[in-house]
Amino acid sequence: MKKICKFLIALIGLSPSLKAQLTNNGANINIQTGAYIFAKGNINNTSGTITNDGKIEVQGDFTNAATYTSSATDDYLVFSGSALSTLKSGGASLTNLTINKTSNDVKLGDNISVGGNLTMQAGNLELNLFNIDLGSGAGAIMNETNDSRITGTSGGNIIKTANLNAPASVNPGNIGIAISSSQNLGSTVIKRGHVQQTSANGGLSIYRYFDITPANNTSLNATLKMYYFDGELAGINKSELQFYSSEDNGNTWALIGEDNNDQANDWVLKNNIDHLSIWTLASKISNPLPIKLLSFTATLVNRTTQLQWITAQEINSSYFEVQRSKDGTSFDKLFSIPAHGNSSSKITYNAVDKNPFDGINYYRLKIVDIDGNFSFSSYVQVNVKEGTSFMVFPNPAAGTFYLHINLQVAKKYVIGLYDVNGRMLQEKEVELNAGGNQIEWNISAFAKGTYFLRSADNSMPVIKVVKQ
């Protein structure tokens, strides 16, 4: 490997192709302007220095645990290929980052900062509970589309800081919200997240929200134009989208309405806003149905998913639509099960998915009443490839919830509870047996809102938990 490093150091303007992974163990690698490294495997900078004035293209993981420096404008870090990749920058600042995956995505392994262009060409970039800081300078998202975008339904934020003085439809860093105001807002921090927000009465938002904090935040007479992608709609009809705002970190939401809704260009606009806070889009009519759902579980049996849900009350219920997803964001209908209509006793429903995906499968219920109104349950998930299933109930939970884990073989897990900003609040180390396991978790000490469970080795899917 030292020979490879020495070879790379000597290269100027050439493009070596590394079929295996490159591990830099104390050497200095200087990629000069016009030169680049192309690795079909991983790049691990363990204890050396990489100075990038050219281009690094990697089809596996990029991990920096030492020193990575880049030029002011010229350097590029590009992810390509078809394998799932992880980016772990080790605190280094990147200039230009490009996502160009023919299949699968890139996910963050820590917080990153990008001072230039974050270009989306193909594939998604998953926040994975971490943050992307675009800074206060030229950092910007480029070419983001519904088919290639930044996602983060398990938490994390895109952060942009901008000095906004009497802005006229300014969209800082192409982050996805245009701000207008006759006033000087001063230094303004904008956070974009993709956690689905839940109101006190159970209404659900799209998979996008903005937390906007200006230095001056009074009498703004502001206008917001929020953009979205079809993949973030969570089943909500575009024509129904309305602005909601929260003053208490997403615990409660107020309906603000809308003044313009462009369904062709995917944005909603609201005028005459006095001050800025947390904003999202949801349906004005997406109120919870008079159904009390006691549990919703998914269990893997002989490569089929056994689904079961129990209701304690039903009023004018029509049917349940079972939906499935590969990514926990875009769901498709599997089949419908008739509801009982009216009941005040416990009713158990069972269904089977005979052909689940090879890998993680997410399931949720669309609960529809006789007038056509509907709401969604929280999702549950199974992993067909590993023969495991994970679910939380009750969810939402007021105080204690139970994490149910079904395993093919015994395993030790280290599981953390995280908030939407990626801060770990609690951690449990548990020895689990083959078969069914139940972990009790008390969150009564925490504020109402959205939290996430994640294992230290990322072998468990990230699970959303709502505290009510």
Side-chain angles (χ1 to χ4, degrees), residues 14-57:
L14 299 180
S15 54
S17 176
L18 307 175
K19 294 184 179 180
Q21 74 175 25
L22 165 67
T23 299
N24 182 29
N25 235 343
N28 295 323
I29 298 177
N30 183 13
I31 306 167
Q32 298 185 18
T33 302
Y36 73 91
I37 291 176
F38 171 50
K40 292 184 178 180
N42 303 326
I43 292 181
N44 298 316
N45 188 30
T46 59
S47 60
T49 298
I50 295 179
T51 301
N52 184 15
D53 289 315
K55 175 181 175 181
I56 294 176
E57 183 174 350

Side-chain angles (χ1 to χ4, degrees), residues 206 208 227-229 232-233 238 241 262 266-268 281:
I206 67 171
R208 176 177 286 218
Y227 295 88
Y228 59 86
F229 292 113
E232 299 170 338
L233 286 171
K238 293 182 182 182
L241 291 175
D262 191 327
D266 295 340
W267 54 258
V268 181
L281 299 174

Side-chain angles (χ1 to χ4, degrees), residues 21-323:
Q21 74 175 25
L22 165 67
T23 299
N24 182 29
N25 235 343
N28 295 323
I29 298 177
N30 183 13
I31 306 167
Q32 298 185 18
T33 302
Y36 73 91
I37 291 176
F38 171 50
K40 292 184 178 180
N42 303 326
I43 292 181
N44 298 316
N45 188 30
T46 59
S47 60
T49 298
I50 295 179
T51 301
N52 184 15
D53 289 315
K55 175 181 175 181
I56 294 176
E57 183 174 350
V58 57
Q59 294 190 344
D61 300 334
F62 180 89
T63 303
N64 174 55
T67 303
Y68 175 89
T69 60
S70 55
S71 70
T73 58
D74 294 332
D75 88 289
Y76 292 85
L77 177 60
V78 179
F79 284 87
S80 62
S82 59
L84 176 66
S85 297
T86 298
L87 166 57
K88 197 169 185 178
S89 70
S93 179
L94 308 176
T95 301
N96 299 300
L97 173 64
T98 299
I99 309 300
N100 188 21
K101 306 289 290 186
T102 55
S103 63
N104 282 302
D105 296 334
V106 178
K107 67 177 182 179
L108 297 185
D110 61 4
N111 297 326
I112 68 169
S113 60
V114 179
N117 291 336
L118 199 172
T119 303
M120 305 299 300
Q121 292 185 349
N124 294 329
L125 175 57
E126 302 176 19
L127 295 175
N128 193 33
L129 273 172
F130 295 107
N131 298 329
I132 299 172
D133 192 344
L134 298 175
S136 58
I141 304 168
M142 308 298 290
N143 199 43
E144 194 177 21
T145 66
N146 186 66
D147 297 321
S148 181
R149 53 193 165 89
I150 302 172
T151 67
T153 58
S154 63
N157 292 284
I158 308 158
I159 306 169
K160 179 65 182 178
T161 303
N163 196 33
L164 301 178
N165 291 323
S169 196
V170 175
N171 181 9
N174 287 328
I175 199 169
I177 191 159
I179 303 172
S180 300
S181 175
S182 59
Q183 303 300 309
N184 292 339
L185 282 67
S187 180
T188 302
V189 178
I190 305 170
K191 296 180 180 179
R192 178 179 126 191
H194 295 274
V195 175
Q196 191 175 34
Q197 302 300 302
T198 306
S199 68
N201 65 2
L204 297 174
S205 74
I206 67 171
Y207 288 100
R208 176 177 286 218
Y209 70 89
F210 289 91
D211 186 352
I212 310 171
T213 308
N216 171 32
N217 199 19
T218 58
S219 304
L220 298 182
N221 189 27
T223 294
L224 292 181
K225 180 192 286 186
M226 185 186 297
Y227 295 88
Y228 59 86
F229 292 113
D230 288 353
E232 299 170 338
L233 286 171
I236 300 174
N237 192 300
K238 293 182 182 182
S239 64
E240 300 170 3
L241 291 175
Q242 306 275 319
F243 272 98
Y244 285 75
S245 71
S246 174
E247 306 288 342
D248 57 2
N249 199 34
N251 293 326
T252 59
W253 293 88
L255 173 62
I256 306 301
E258 55 86 12
D259 292 313
N260 199 355
N261 184 338
D262 191 327
Q263 299 173 47
N265 294 301
D266 295 340
W267 54 258
V268 181
L269 180 143
K270 180 61 184 169
N271 297 314
N272 306 122
I273 298 171
D274 178 74
H275 63 282
L276 299 173
S277 54
I278 305 178
W279 299 80
T280 191
L281 299 174
S283 171
K284 186 176 180 180
I285 64 173
S286 63
N287 296 319
L289 298 176
I291 280 186
K292 185 175 182 181
L293 189 65
L294 289 180
S295 65
F296 177 38
T297 59
T299 305
L300 194 64
V301 179
N302 296 325
R303 292 189 64 85
T304 67
T305 305
Q306 308 290 318
L307 299 161
Q308 182 182 91
W309 60 100
I310 302 174
T311 63
Q313 171 185 286
E314 296 185 34
I315 300 175
N316 295 329
S317 59
S318 179
Y319 63 91
F320 299 91
E321 182 177 292
V322 178
Q323 299 182 344

Side-chain angles (χ1 to χ4, degrees), residues 331-344:
F331 284 82
D332 295 316
K333 176 184 175 182
L334 278 181
F335 41 73
S336 296
I337 302 292
H340 275 66
N342 293 280
S343 174
S344 58

